[in-house]
Amino acid sequence: MFHTKSLIQMAMMATLLVVLGFIPALPLGFIPVPIVLQNLGVMMAGVILGGRKGSLSILLFFLVGLVIPVFSGLRSTIPVLTGPTAGYVIAWLFVPLLISYGVKLVNKKNFIAIFLIVWLAGVLFVDVAGAVWLASYTNIPLDKSLLQNLVFIPGDTIKAIIAAVVAVKYKDSFFLTEK
Amino acid sequence: MAKQLIGYQEGYGFLYRLSGASKLLFFILVSVACMTTYDTRFLIVVSLGSLVLFRLAKIKWQQVSFVMTLVVVFAVLNIIMVYLFAPHYGDKIYGSSSLLLKGIGPYDVTSQELFYLFNLILKYFCTVPLALLFLMTTNPSQFASSLNQLGLSYKIAYAVSLTLRYIPDVQEEFYTIRRAQEARGIELSKKSNLVARIKGNLQIVTPLIFSSLERIDTVATAMELRRFGKNKRRTWYSKQSLEKSDIVLIILALASLFVSLYLIHLNHGRFYNPWQ
């Protein structure tokens, strides 16, 4: 079912996700929440591995999270999936699929188009999904939850820019998505 | 170097002799049971059981104090956030409101809200000791074989093992790259402006990604040369057969899950309501 090389690609991407989660959050003065790099890894998974393998690498990350605390804040998979932030991490599973689908529709050299796709899939989709789950889980109004999630938009947008820069700058290197 | 946060410690006792597969299954099933219910009686019993097991494993406090501190900080933040955003959620759940302390605006403190927050705290006491127990009494080499024993394809189980194995390597790579870039003049602290810091982080993340991807060909070729994936099944160097005690543990885990689900039926919902 899984070719050995694809397996290594997914394992390496899952490892990157784990390590990015270990890196301390970067406080930027004017942004209310510090930037965590882990969801940058999620966008990278879509950009580098494509849809299917990218999403599978995130699933692998969840599997690893069963046995060690790999989520930001040293949390493991089951508490996260049954807690208030489950919406975000479940949305992560679909980010590579959405990015892969979107990238097929545009010119890979067009930075603005690539950025919009990464932003829509990796930032807007994730934050809205997270807000919806957070609202239902804690019983706060949906509009309030969506407003609260605005604090994440600036940091996540910076990450989307980084992912889009990598995607455009190294587009010829991503032969990985073809295999 | 990145500090070793937590890991396997050689030890003696029946918890160390149990198979990784049964411990993993136990941990997952009990975690699911505790995360789905808010029945206080169930959570208290599992919390006490977790602490007793923790004690039995003879794990020293200093071995886990750093991780415990982080968990406590996160738990406290979680409780505070729930209260700030939904100060009367407990009242809604339990259909009653007993004022304990008059607060500013909507932030009265009621017995029901405190009871709800108490349940949230109990969930941490249920799962964190079990997670630490599993981590510290199971040889990491058994993780992959445990997953395979539980029915997962050995290729995927091995991918989990690979992911675990390369975490310290990629971490090491990250610190090496960061020091090399700082030696070349990249300033990552607050001394530089926003754009420079973003660019600096990009110049660390990009080589980190490509150095990780660079391993792929080498590792894949080496594995194929050793005939990985050739057959439908494989043997495991560190696999451990299930013994009677493992079977008992699995039955206990299933029982806890069924009790949790039955209590949901009994309570007509996930909450045990002492004010009914």
Side-chain angles (χ1 to χ4, degrees):
Chain A
M1 176 171 63
F2 290 102
H3 190 264
T4 304
K5 192 163 181 176
S6 299
L7 213 65
I8 313 297
Q9 287 168 359
M10 295 185 287
M12 214 54 71
M13 183 55 65
T15 302
L16 265 172
L17 278 160
V18 173
V19 173
L20 290 175
F22 288 164
I23 297 171
L26 312 170
L28 303 180
F30 63 93
I31 292 181
V33 293
I35 291 185
V36 294
L37 290 175
Q38 195 153 61
N39 58 334
L40 168 63
V42 175
M43 300 178 204
M44 288 296 188
V47 163
I48 294 174
L49 293 190
R52 199 174 68 99
K53 285 191 284 192
S55 290
L56 285 174
S57 68
I58 293 171
L59 205 56
L60 184 58
F61 170 75
F62 286 176
L63 261 180
V64 173
L66 288 177
V67 295
I68 60 175
V70 297
F71 287 86
S72 298
L74 282 189
R75 295 170 293 150
S76 54
T77 301
I78 293 178
V80 168
L81 287 186
T82 56
T85 56
Y88 302 98
V89 300
I90 290 175
W92 285 359
L93 282 170
F94 300 97
V95 169
L97 291 167
L98 292 174
I99 290 178
S100 175
Y101 178 75
V103 166
K104 287 194 177 88
L105 305 177
V106 301
N107 183 350
K108 285 188 168 61
K109 299 178 181 177
N110 187 339
F111 171 78
I112 299 295
I114 297 289
F115 165 73
L116 278 180
I117 289 163
V118 175
W119 191 85
L120 287 172
V123 179
L124 189 64
F125 170 71
V126 171
D127 282 339
V128 169
V132 169
W133 175 270
L134 185 66
S136 68
Y137 185 88
T138 60
N139 222 45
I140 63 182
L142 179 58
D143 54 329
K144 201 169 176 181
S145 180
L146 286 166
L147 277 179
Q148 286 156 15
N149 274 269
L150 291 182
V151 298
F152 298 114
I153 300 293
D156 286 352
T157 300
I158 292 173
K159 284 171 251 181
I161 292 173
I162 292 174
V165 166
V166 170
V168 173
K169 195 168 182 182
Y170 301 102
K171 62 189 182 300
D172 295 333
S173 304
F174 293 154
F175 56 91
L176 301 173
T177 57
E178 308 303 328
K179 300 184 177 177
Chain B
M1 276 325 107
K3 179 179 168 186
Q4 174 76 30
L5 286 175
I6 197 162
Y8 174 67
Q9 307 280 332
E10 191 74 36
Y12 306 95
F14 82 97
L15 286 170
Y16 293 88
R17 289 192 301 270
L18 290 166
S19 159
S22 63
K23 279 187 281 192
L24 178 57
L25 195 57
F26 179 85
F27 168 60
I28 292 173
L29 291 180
V30 174
S31 291
V32 170
C34 292
M35 286 301 157
T36 53
T37 187
Y38 282 81
D39 189 301
T40 315
R41 303 163 294 184
F42 181 83
L43 294 175
I44 288 176
V45 168
V46 177
S47 297
L48 293 179
S50 294
L51 295 177
V52 167
L53 286 177
F54 201 80
R55 184 70 183 148
L56 282 178
K58 296 183 174 59
I59 294 173
K60 299 182 184 64
W61 171 251
Q62 59 263 29
Q63 291 177 266
V64 298
S65 60
F66 179 66
V67 171
M68 276 302 199
T69 303
L70 287 175
V71 171
V72 168
V73 167
F74 182 78
V76 169
L77 286 177
N78 190 28
I79 299 297
I80 291 173
M81 294 299 281
V82 169
Y83 174 69
L84 288 180
F85 287 129
H88 290 287
Y89 190 47
D91 301 359
K92 285 181 202 163
I93 294 168
Y94 302 111
S96 180
S97 182
S98 312
L99 186 67
L100 290 181
L101 185 68
K102 181 66 180 174
I104 302 168
Y107 294 107
D108 296 336
V109 178
T110 63
S111 302
Q112 288 74 22
E113 182 73 4
L114 287 187
F115 190 72
Y116 172 67
L117 297 178
F118 176 62
N119 283 289
L120 289 186
I121 292 172
L122 280 179
K123 285 168 181 276
Y124 283 98
F125 278 99
C126 291
T127 55
V128 172
L130 288 182
L132 293 176
L133 261 181
F134 177 74
L135 275 177
M136 300 186 75
T137 64
T138 307
N139 192 319
S141 303
Q142 274 196 45
F143 286 165
S145 60
S146 300
L147 289 170
N148 192 215
Q149 271 177 292
L150 296 179
L152 201 62
S153 155
Y154 78 84
K155 290 181 176 180
I156 297 176
Y158 197 71
V160 172
S161 188
L162 276 174
T163 303
L164 286 167
R165 184 251 173 274
Y166 280 106
I167 289 170
D169 282 11
V170 175
Q171 261 184 312
E172 171 81 19
E173 193 84 26
F174 170 78
Y175 288 111
T176 303
I177 293 168
R178 187 170 73 173
R179 281 193 298 269
Q181 298 289 43
E182 282 173 342
R184 299 176 63 222
I186 286 179
E187 178 60 69
L188 296 172
S189 69
K190 295 174 181 176
K191 297 174 189 170
S192 63
N193 62 62
L194 176 64
V195 173
R197 281 156 73 189
I198 293 176
K199 190 177 177 186
N201 279 284
L202 181 60
Q203 291 180 62
I204 294 179
V205 170
T206 306
L208 180 66
I209 290 168
F210 282 103
S211 67
S212 300
L213 298 183
E214 191 179 14
R215 298 169 200 271
I216 291 174
D217 272 335
T218 308
V219 176
T221 304
M223 284 169 64
E224 286 179 336
L225 285 173
R226 289 159 175 80
R227 298 171 66 81
F228 177 86
K230 177 75 175 175
N231 297 310
K232 287 203 175 80
R233 295 190 306 119
R234 60 164 285 169
T235 58
W236 294 94
Y237 177 79
S238 54
K239 185 176 184 178
Q240 197 176 318
S241 306
L242 296 183
E243 307 290 342
K244 279 180 190 171
S245 51
D246 295 304
I247 304 296
V248 170
L249 191 70
I250 291 171
I251 291 173
L252 198 63
L254 288 170
S256 75
L257 187 60
F258 290 144
V259 167
S260 171
L261 295 176
Y262 176 70
L263 285 171
I264 289 176
H265 166 73
L266 199 63
N267 296 327
H268 304 295
R270 297 189 298 155
F271 298 90
Y272 161 68
N273 191 343
W275 289 277
Q276 220 155 31

